[in-house]
Amino acid sequence: MKLYNFHRSSASYRVRIALALKGVEYEYVPIKLSVDPQSEQLRPDYAALNPQRMVPLLEDGPVRISQTLAIIDYLDRRWPEPPLYPADDAGRSRVMSIAAYIASEIQPLPCLRVELHLRDAFGFDRQKLSAWRTHWIDVGFSAVEQMLSSPDTGRFCHGDQPTAADCYLVPQVSNARRARVDLTPYPNIARIVAACLELPAFSGTVAEAMPDHEPMTAH
Ligand SMILES: N[C@@H](CCC(=O)N[C@@H](CS)C(=O)NCC(=O)O)C(=O)O
């Protein structure tokens, strides 16, 4: 099995965590994302594999899957232990709702291609891009913080076992830290992320531990 991914991509990190929680071995295929028009996710050979021109992409024999919600669902069905979704319907939809909110409403807004378009088409400078990034992370984290102030939250986002929700939350916090977002207003988020990072599945798959890691350059 191959995971086409990039060390600093939060979407890639979600899948690395899920694979590590499941104990599934895979080949790490780096796809370097950059501001370069020849950035690797845009190249025809990669676009032939993933027309979305994004990472991550999971390849399991003849099966190719893009979109982390689909990838993590696939992994959870193929390797059911430990489950990444609770067995009960209400719990399953709560976990899905947290993951989907981060996937759909937070992470895409400060995404590379969105920020490059803001820069190139609308003249956003570094300061404006930074304000854009922190605004959407703050809007998103305010909602997540409130969602997590529920009796269903335990040591982790849902109960005392990591679920798909934690696979989404921890990478989003890595992005927030890179964007220098102050996490003080989000004590539930900060506590859960600290608990997750005590587990090797989360701490061993961070960007800095990946084979393609290199220091960040601003765009
Ligand atoms: N909704 C997608 C998001 C994937 C995504 O945003 N990937 C980013 C890296 S974190 C990417 O490939 N960006 C390339 C670009 O912006 O050109 C998923 O869940 O897989």
Side-chain angles (χ1 to χ4, degrees), residues 5-73:
N5 78 127
F6 180 58
H7 66 284
R8 209 166 48 240
S9 145
S10 66
S12 300
Y13 183 18
R14 297 167 188 163
V15 176
R16 296 197 300 261
I17 295 167
L19 285 161
L21 285 168
K22 301 277 184 191
V24 175
E25 299 283 328
Y26 60 98
E27 182 185 341
Y28 188 107
V29 184
I31 299 294
K32 185 174 178 177
L33 304 190
S34 73
V35 296
D36 187 334
Q38 293 304 309
S39 183
E40 286 181 16
Q41 86 281 15
L42 304 174
R43 288 189 190 162
D45 53 342
Y46 183 70
L49 300 178
N50 183 4
Q52 296 174 16
R53 295 167 170 79
M54 301 181 112
V55 290
L57 176 72
L58 185 80
E59 199 172 68
D60 186 17
V63 178
R64 279 196 202 110
I65 314 169
S66 55
Q67 292 296 324
T68 55
L69 280 168
I71 296 171
I72 290 175
D73 182 61

Side-chain angles (χ1 to χ4, degrees), residues 25 35 58 73 104-105 116 128-129 136 182 191 202 209 214:
E25 299 283 328
V35 296
L58 185 80
D73 182 61
S104 314
E105 314 297 342
L116 288 179
K128 282 190 179 157
L129 283 175
W136 290 116
D182 176 16
R191 176 187 64 74
F202 290 83
E214 58 186 33

Side-chain angles (χ1 to χ4, degrees), residues 145-161:
E145 180 66 18
Q146 198 176 338
M147 290 160 93
L148 292 175
S149 61
S150 146
D152 292 329
T153 300
R155 180 164 171 73
F156 300 106
C157 285
H158 191 84
D160 294 326
Q161 300 300 324

Side-chain angles (χ1 to χ4, degrees), residues 8-10 107 137 170-180:
R8 209 166 48 240
S9 145
S10 66
Q107 183 265 336
I137 294 174
V170 172
Q172 193 57 53
V173 167
S174 295
N175 274 359
R177 288 193 166 125
R178 253 178 240 125
R180 299 182 202 287

Side-chain angles (χ1 to χ4, degrees), residues 109-140:
L109 290 160
C111 184
L112 177 65
R113 62 186 184 164
V114 172
E115 291 196 359
L116 288 179
H117 192 60
L118 289 170
R119 186 193 70 178
D120 298 340
F122 301 103
F124 275 45
D125 59 14
R126 248 191 227 187
Q127 209 178 355
K128 282 190 179 157
L129 283 175
S130 168
W132 166 269
R133 212 173 287 151
T134 54
H135 172 76
W136 290 116
I137 294 174
D138 271 323
V139 168

Side-chain angles (χ1 to χ4, degrees), residues 181-193:
V181 171
D182 176 16
L183 293 179
T184 317
Y186 314 116
N188 287 317
I189 293 178
R191 176 187 64 74
I192 291 167
V193 168

